[in-house]
Amino acid sequence: MGRMDQGPSTDVVDDIQGKYVQIRDEEEPQLGMFDKPLPCCGCGIGWFSLLLGFACPLMWYFASILYIGKYYHKDPRERSGLAACAIAVSVND
């Protein structure tokens, strides 16, 4: 009963600490690259532009320019939304 009051043993703590990996590792700098949420309420510029494009189609053209300019190389999670805007421009014309 006295053992439970003392907390976890040091052997268990050492085992637990060995299983965790740092998010930002010096050997692999891309590990923590996409920890931040996307801009525009977390859905990204592309999907936000697609939704706003139904009210103002110029947003589709803006996002299409970003897609052609390969903005998605900066953050690959933006690629699908920007591509959807480019498709919306081609269907709309």
Side-chain angles (χ1 to χ4, degrees), residues 15-83:
D15 289 341
I16 291 172
Q17 288 178 352
K19 293 180 183 176
Y20 290 106
V21 178
Q22 291 179 346
I23 291 176
R24 298 195 185 268
D25 193 11
E26 294 172 0
E27 295 175 6
E28 291 188 47
Q30 292 184 341
L31 269 179
M33 187 179 233
F34 303 117
D35 289 339
K36 294 187 322 182
L38 289 171
C40 301
C41 303
C43 67
I45 295 171
W47 291 113
F48 191 73
S49 297
L50 182 72
L51 293 175
L52 282 179
F54 290 106
C56 178
L58 290 176
M59 294 301 291
W60 288 340
Y61 290 97
F62 168 71
S64 296
I65 290 170
L66 290 178
Y67 183 70
I68 291 169
K70 298 186 182 185
Y71 178 78
Y72 54 85
H73 283 296
K74 191 174 185 180
D75 191 350
R77 299 177 294 173
E78 293 278 1
R79 187 175 191 164
S80 60
L82 295 174

Side-chain angles (χ1 to χ4, degrees), residues 3 7-19:
R3 182 76 179 138
S9 69
T10 57
D11 296 332
V12 174
V13 173
D14 290 339
D15 289 341
I16 291 172
Q17 288 178 352
K19 293 180 183 176

